[in-house]
Amino acid sequence: MKLTTRLATATAVLAVGALALTGCTGAGPAAGSDGPIDTSGELSGTIKFQSWSLKNEKFSPYFEDLIAAFEEEHPDVTVEWLDQPGDGYQDKVLSQANSNSLPDVVNLPPDIAYPLVAAGKLVDLAAADSSLEDQYVPGAWEAYTYPGIDGTYGLPWYLGTDLGWWNGAALQQYGADTSALPTTNEELLSLAEQVGEASGGQMPLLSSMPTIDLFASSGIEVMNDDGEFVFNTDEAAAIVDQFASAYQAGALPAEALTGDYGGNADMFKQGKVAYTTAGSGFAGDLQRDAPSIRESVIATPRIGDAPLFVQGVSVSNDSKNKAAALAFAEYLTNTENQVAFAQLALGFVPGTVDGSADVGSLSESVTDPLQKEAMEIVSESMKTARILIPFQWTSAMKTYMDQQLALALKGEVGSKEALDKVVEYANDNLVEY
């Protein structure tokens, strides 16, 4: 599984398999390890570190050197590196937790970590070392906190976000001012309607229906403190109404309502839409797949709050050697090692505050001005980026929302009525732990 795919899906899809862990343990929401863990003394013993599809020609030398350097600093510690395939990772982790064989240090995005946290399988890292919080990107640190559970259960490792990408030539052809591109979702929808009408529907600006992260990025509360979805607001209905108006003006291709297309980035590269969101690596994708479009492309910060895609590492509460495990987790995710990793995983940024801001080091091997500009935007976005999609939001909920909002965009039901049904469905189908 590619890093980009993993980050794009990790925060959005909660597998039903998550139930299996708490079902077997009989646990409800529970904290992990309590209290500080002292890593300053002499460390010894063997620990296991598990990564997610990173043992390959590109990344193996990096990890082998990192582990060797850690072992040199701690000569009585041995690190055994395990790596799991991309597919079925969550099932594998749950199986390990159920059989009490979870590795001491394990790569977990926030959504996969949650059932383990609820079952008390992970160490509370905020309690283990109170100095850690200030070292990591705030939104990423917050991603490993959970409703009704005290503590923080992952060290942010590598992060991603989306930018806005605009087809400058297409926009100018239909009268848009590319020197004053939208900075709010309301402005985006107005421009979409303008370009849709000017092109007679030949150059849509939009390529997807309203999404839950769009509502969140617009400042709408998606889920309340009681764990209930609450985004069926008048403000959200107004956004859906704007989408419906834009759709009638030709600003949204019909296939976007059925999902029968390759996605907004692919449609952008094919010249079928004039705007998309994608990570900073999209500059390279355009160079390879759509060089003529790339000539006039404009990269901007994501409109509204930037989404945050997070990968991190956690420490098993079943570990017999928590001190060495925590020391390795901190070493793996320190700024120096994260910058070196991000230099290999181009398009991602480190999970530490200092690392994510060090654009010069992250882009020192980059010669493409557009790629550099995109990386600078991503680095700046890390200051405020946050998780926009609650981990309780499932793929079934998304499918139901797409169906209801498609009816709303076609004018077959009212926008508020559609949102009411979506929220009712989502709350009726919450996954219980």
PDB file of all heavy atoms in Angstrom, residues 11 15 80 115 147 149 197 206 229 246 270-271 302 324:
ATOM      1  N   THR A  11      -7.874   7.854   8.234  1.00  0.00           N
ATOM      2  CA  THR A  11      -8.707   8.576   9.173  1.00  0.00           C
ATOM      3  C   THR A  11     -10.182   8.515   8.833  1.00  0.00           C
ATOM      4  O   THR A  11     -11.005   9.023   9.567  1.00  0.00           O
ATOM      5  CB  THR A  11      -8.296  10.055   9.222  1.00  0.00           C
ATOM      6  OG1 THR A  11      -8.432  10.616   7.920  1.00  0.00           O
ATOM      7  CG2 THR A  11      -6.885  10.205   9.711  1.00  0.00           C
ATOM      8  N   ALA A  15     -13.151   0.083  10.436  1.00  0.00           N
ATOM      9  CA  ALA A  15     -13.567  -1.269  10.105  1.00  0.00           C
ATOM     10  C   ALA A  15     -14.419  -1.866  11.201  1.00  0.00           C
ATOM     11  O   ALA A  15     -14.236  -1.600  12.375  1.00  0.00           O
ATOM     12  CB  ALA A  15     -12.330  -2.150   9.893  1.00  0.00           C
ATOM     13  N   GLU A  80      14.095  -5.568  17.368  1.00  0.00           N
ATOM     14  CA  GLU A  80      13.683  -6.459  16.288  1.00  0.00           C
ATOM     15  C   GLU A  80      12.633  -5.733  15.449  1.00  0.00           C
ATOM     16  O   GLU A  80      11.590  -5.342  15.967  1.00  0.00           O
ATOM     17  CB  GLU A  80      13.105  -7.763  16.851  1.00  0.00           C
ATOM     18  CG  GLU A  80      14.128  -8.608  17.590  1.00  0.00           C
ATOM     19  CD  GLU A  80      13.534  -9.921  18.091  1.00  0.00           C
ATOM     20  OE1 GLU A  80      12.325 -10.181  17.811  1.00  0.00           O
ATOM     21  OE2 GLU A  80      14.260 -10.667  18.772  1.00  0.00           O
ATOM     22  N   PRO A 115      -9.594   1.432  19.150  1.00  0.00           N
ATOM     23  CA  PRO A 115     -10.080   0.250  19.881  1.00  0.00           C
ATOM     24  C   PRO A 115      -9.059  -0.316  20.841  1.00  0.00           C
ATOM     25  O   PRO A 115      -9.418  -0.885  21.884  1.00  0.00           O
ATOM     26  CB  PRO A 115     -10.433  -0.739  18.757  1.00  0.00           C
ATOM     27  CG  PRO A 115      -9.747  -0.248  17.548  1.00  0.00           C
ATOM     28  CD  PRO A 115      -9.629   1.237  17.698  1.00  0.00           C
ATOM     29  N   PRO A 147     -12.586  10.770  22.989  1.00  0.00           N
ATOM     30  CA  PRO A 147     -13.689  11.195  23.862  1.00  0.00           C
ATOM     31  C   PRO A 147     -13.848  10.263  25.071  1.00  0.00           C
ATOM     32  O   PRO A 147     -13.880   9.036  24.921  1.00  0.00           O
ATOM     33  CB  PRO A 147     -14.920  11.107  22.952  1.00  0.00           C
ATOM     34  CG  PRO A 147     -14.387  11.159  21.558  1.00  0.00           C
ATOM     35  CD  PRO A 147     -13.040  10.519  21.608  1.00  0.00           C
ATOM     36  N   ILE A 149     -11.812   9.498  27.365  1.00  0.00           N
ATOM     37  CA  ILE A 149     -10.615   8.784  27.818  1.00  0.00           C
ATOM     38  C   ILE A 149      -9.511   9.806  28.047  1.00  0.00           C
ATOM     39  O   ILE A 149      -9.178  10.581  27.145  1.00  0.00           O
ATOM     40  CB  ILE A 149     -10.145   7.746  26.780  1.00  0.00           C
ATOM     41  CG1 ILE A 149     -11.260   6.728  26.499  1.00  0.00           C
ATOM     42  CG2 ILE A 149      -8.890   7.020  27.274  1.00  0.00           C
ATOM     43  CD1 ILE A 149     -10.913   5.728  25.423  1.00  0.00           C
ATOM     44  N   GLU A 197     -21.479  28.280 -15.694  1.00  0.00           N
ATOM     45  CA  GLU A 197     -22.370  28.977 -16.630  1.00  0.00           C
ATOM     46  C   GLU A 197     -21.599  29.479 -17.857  1.00  0.00           C
ATOM     47  O   GLU A 197     -22.052  29.347 -18.999  1.00  0.00           O
ATOM     48  CB  GLU A 197     -23.045  30.143 -15.918  1.00  0.00           C
ATOM     49  CG  GLU A 197     -24.071  29.701 -14.877  1.00  0.00           C
ATOM     50  CD  GLU A 197     -24.659  30.878 -14.102  1.00  0.00           C
ATOM     51  OE1 GLU A 197     -24.040  31.971 -14.136  1.00  0.00           O
ATOM     52  OE2 GLU A 197     -25.697  30.688 -13.457  1.00  0.00           O
ATOM     53  N   LEU A 206     -15.986  21.870  -9.795  1.00  0.00           N
ATOM     54  CA  LEU A 206     -16.113  20.900  -8.712  1.00  0.00           C
ATOM     55  C   LEU A 206     -16.216  19.491  -9.276  1.00  0.00           C
ATOM     56  O   LEU A 206     -16.675  19.298 -10.407  1.00  0.00           O
ATOM     57  CB  LEU A 206     -17.352  21.206  -7.877  1.00  0.00           C
ATOM     58  CG  LEU A 206     -17.487  22.634  -7.359  1.00  0.00           C
ATOM     59  CD1 LEU A 206     -18.853  22.839  -6.727  1.00  0.00           C
ATOM     60  CD2 LEU A 206     -16.380  22.936  -6.363  1.00  0.00           C
ATOM     61  N   PHE A 229     -23.460  12.797  16.062  1.00  0.00           N
ATOM     62  CA  PHE A 229     -23.319  13.633  14.877  1.00  0.00           C
ATOM     63  C   PHE A 229     -24.394  14.721  14.913  1.00  0.00           C
ATOM     64  O   PHE A 229     -25.570  14.432  15.202  1.00  0.00           O
ATOM     65  CB  PHE A 229     -23.440  12.794  13.608  1.00  0.00           C
ATOM     66  CG  PHE A 229     -22.246  11.903  13.380  1.00  0.00           C
ATOM     67  CD1 PHE A 229     -22.303  10.540  13.652  1.00  0.00           C
ATOM     68  CD2 PHE A 229     -21.060  12.444  12.894  1.00  0.00           C
ATOM     69  CE1 PHE A 229     -21.191   9.732  13.448  1.00  0.00           C
ATOM     70  CE2 PHE A 229     -19.943  11.636  12.690  1.00  0.00           C
ATOM     71  CZ  PHE A 229     -20.008  10.282  12.968  1.00  0.00           C
ATOM     72  N   ALA A 246     -24.938  25.267  -7.989  1.00  0.00           N
ATOM     73  CA  ALA A 246     -23.766  25.091  -8.852  1.00  0.00           C
ATOM     74  C   ALA A 246     -23.955  23.911  -9.801  1.00  0.00           C
ATOM     75  O   ALA A 246     -23.564  23.960 -10.978  1.00  0.00           O
ATOM     76  CB  ALA A 246     -22.516  24.899  -7.991  1.00  0.00           C
ATOM     77  N   GLN A 270      -7.044  14.961 -16.322  1.00  0.00           N
ATOM     78  CA  GLN A 270      -7.619  14.737 -17.648  1.00  0.00           C
ATOM     79  C   GLN A 270      -8.196  16.018 -18.255  1.00  0.00           C
ATOM     80  O   GLN A 270      -8.710  15.992 -19.379  1.00  0.00           O
ATOM     81  CB  GLN A 270      -8.724  13.678 -17.540  1.00  0.00           C
ATOM     82  CG  GLN A 270      -8.222  12.293 -17.147  1.00  0.00           C
ATOM     83  CD  GLN A 270      -9.348  11.366 -16.701  1.00  0.00           C
ATOM     84  OE1 GLN A 270     -10.532  11.696 -16.863  1.00  0.00           O
ATOM     85  NE2 GLN A 270      -8.986  10.226 -16.141  1.00  0.00           N
ATOM     86  N   GLY A 271      -8.122  17.125 -17.516  1.00  0.00           N
ATOM     87  CA  GLY A 271      -8.647  18.396 -18.014  1.00  0.00           C
ATOM     88  C   GLY A 271     -10.157  18.478 -17.984  1.00  0.00           C
ATOM     89  O   GLY A 271     -10.750  19.327 -18.652  1.00  0.00           O
ATOM     90  N   ARG A 302      -5.270  24.820   1.208  1.00  0.00           N
ATOM     91  CA  ARG A 302      -6.614  24.256   1.196  1.00  0.00           C
ATOM     92  C   ARG A 302      -7.604  25.288   1.764  1.00  0.00           C
ATOM     93  O   ARG A 302      -7.315  25.938   2.761  1.00  0.00           O
ATOM     94  CB  ARG A 302      -6.634  22.973   2.033  1.00  0.00           C
ATOM     95  CG  ARG A 302      -7.995  22.360   2.280  1.00  0.00           C
ATOM     96  CD  ARG A 302      -8.512  21.579   1.084  1.00  0.00           C
ATOM     97  NE  ARG A 302      -9.783  20.954   1.472  1.00  0.00           N
ATOM     98  CZ  ARG A 302      -9.932  19.669   1.763  1.00  0.00           C
ATOM     99  NH1 ARG A 302      -8.891  18.862   1.687  1.00  0.00           N
ATOM    100  NH2 ARG A 302     -11.105  19.177   2.116  1.00  0.00           N
ATOM    101  N   ALA A 324      12.535   0.930  27.445  1.00  0.00           N
ATOM    102  CA  ALA A 324      13.260   0.856  26.171  1.00  0.00           C
ATOM    103  C   ALA A 324      12.316   1.123  25.005  1.00  0.00           C
ATOM    104  O   ALA A 324      12.700   1.754  24.008  1.00  0.00           O
ATOM    105  CB  ALA A 324      13.909  -0.528  26.027  1.00  0.00           C
TER     106      ALA A 324
END
